[in-house]
Amino acid sequence: MKNFALIGAAGYIAPRHLRAIKDTNNNLVAALDKFDSVGVMDSYFPKADFFVEFERFDRYIEKIKRQQGVQLDYVSICTPNYLHDSHIRMALRRGADAICEKPLVLNPWNLEALQAIEKESENKVNTILQLRLHPSIIALKKKVDSESKKGKYDVDLTYIASRGNWYDVSWKGDESKSGGIATNIGIHFYDMLSWVFGEVQENIVHLREKDKSAGYLEFEKARVRWFLSIDENSLPIEVKEKQQRTYRSITVDGDEIEFSGGFTELHTESYKGILKGRGFGLVDAKSSIEIVHGIRNAELVNFGEKHYFVR
């Protein structure tokens, strides 16, 4: 049984981490969040200590190590994107491995700094790249790896996750904290694309607004037209008629890849791999972080292959 701490216990994604810790038969020692709406912990670890101030949380971790011999093995990080870097560093300083939600960091150079600290600490930084564990995506990668296709695959990626007015008020609406739309809701797709289709060769951005973004990515084995949005007005008519607020589609050479189900279980699968030493680390996260950094800083252009929602 390994000892865990959780930073960001009141967030949307925290219950998946709580469940993963419990389902892998491990122990949550302490949790931290500046918000105290964390009753969900009762369903998983009601005896875990909880803190709303980082200083008291940090002191407690030190105290139980010195007085009770309780050493943290892992720190799970579910905080806002811009805090990930700092909280990963805290985990490594405490002699624990980090398990951090994506994106690990907002900028490629932050990865380089973490690599140096990881090496000094002899602990490991893990990230959650759950699409790499999805059966449909694994099947797609096996197909791409085994085929000797002439030319490149044509891929269309569309992801619309409608969000209310709260989004702009929260940290997610602040690009300096979230990294913007492409980073906040798209980074796991970019990781999946680079994992399946190889190195990025071209990164063109056609649209970049606060609530939507679109562009073209060329990989070694694929040409990808992508569109991301949190604006419900972007939803196709047939989706609106069903009163659905989310639309997710990936087509490869015109064939739809079905991957809508099974997401909630993939965090537990991620933890199982991490606990066996097979987690995804800093090197694995590099490509997607470089992609979103490029999207965030690229000059908008009006040429090249555009997603059909933009056309």
Side-chain angles (χ1 to χ4, degrees), residues 109-298:
W109 54 86
N110 300 135
L111 275 182
E112 297 170 8
L114 284 179
Q115 284 176 319
I117 298 169
E118 183 184 55
K119 186 176 180 180
E120 291 170 4
S121 70
E122 298 183 356
N123 289 99
K124 181 172 173 54
V125 180
N126 302 278
T127 189
I128 304 295
L129 301 174
Q130 75 267 39
L131 282 183
R132 297 193 186 197
L133 303 177
H134 196 289
S136 296
I137 303 304
I138 292 172
L140 174 63
K141 180 170 173 58
K142 288 180 179 177
K143 176 187 176 190
V144 170
D145 288 347
S146 64
E147 289 182 346
S148 54
K149 179 180 172 66
K150 292 182 179 180
K152 300 191 177 187
Y153 294 90
D154 280 306
V155 179
D156 285 293
L157 163 65
T158 312
Y159 182 46
I160 304 167
S162 304
R163 297 290 186 262
N165 293 337
W166 65 268
Y167 191 94
D168 278 345
V169 180
S170 76
W171 63 267
K172 295 183 178 183
D174 184 341
E175 186 176 286
S176 68
K177 294 181 177 181
S178 71
I181 291 295
T183 305
N184 207 38
I185 71 169
I187 193 163
H188 52 304
F189 292 113
Y190 300 123
D191 172 74
M192 178 272 290
L193 291 167
S194 61
W195 183 60
V196 173
F197 297 112
E199 293 290 325
V200 178
Q201 298 179 336
E202 192 170 19
N203 187 351
I204 293 174
V205 182
H206 297 125
L207 173 70
R208 186 178 57 236
E209 297 177 357
K210 197 164 188 178
D211 59 0
K212 61 181 70 69
S213 189
Y216 171 79
L217 282 162
E218 187 156 336
F219 297 88
E220 290 178 76
K221 298 180 181 180
R223 299 179 299 177
V224 180
R225 295 160 293 274
W226 59 270
F227 178 85
L228 304 173
S229 176
I230 58 168
D231 179 8
E232 64 180 345
N233 294 313
S234 301
L235 291 167
I237 294 174
E238 62 272 19
V239 176
K240 291 181 181 178
E241 289 176 346
K242 296 177 183 177
Q243 296 185 331
Q244 296 176 353
R245 292 180 55 81
T246 300
Y247 176 72
R248 185 189 294 117
S249 172
I250 295 178
T251 61
V252 178
D253 286 347
D255 295 327
E256 186 78 31
I257 304 299
E258 174 52 49
F259 67 109
S260 56
F263 273 87
T264 55
E265 293 77 26
L266 293 179
H267 276 71
T268 295
E269 292 304 310
S270 297
Y271 270 64
K272 288 178 181 177
I274 290 167
L275 289 161
K276 293 177 181 178
R278 299 199 303 265
F280 301 117
L282 295 170
V283 173
D284 299 298
K286 183 178 180 181
S287 179
S288 59
I289 290 171
E290 289 177 339
I291 289 172
V292 294
H293 180 264
I295 290 170
R296 195 160 59 242
N297 293 282

Side-chain angles (χ1 to χ4, degrees), residues 34-74:
K34 67 177 183 177
F35 300 107
D36 58 8
S37 297
V38 291
V40 66
M41 288 177 58
D42 285 347
S43 299
Y44 301 98
F45 298 100
K47 294 184 179 180
D49 286 288
F50 174 70
F51 301 85
V52 294
E53 294 173 298
F54 178 83
E55 292 78 8
R56 291 186 174 183
F57 169 79
D58 191 48
R59 183 181 65 186
Y60 177 76
I61 298 302
E62 176 71 18
K63 177 182 174 181
I64 61 173
K65 177 183 177 181
R66 292 185 179 277
Q67 295 184 3
Q68 302 175 33
V70 176
Q71 169 65 42
L72 285 184
D73 298 296
Y74 294 92

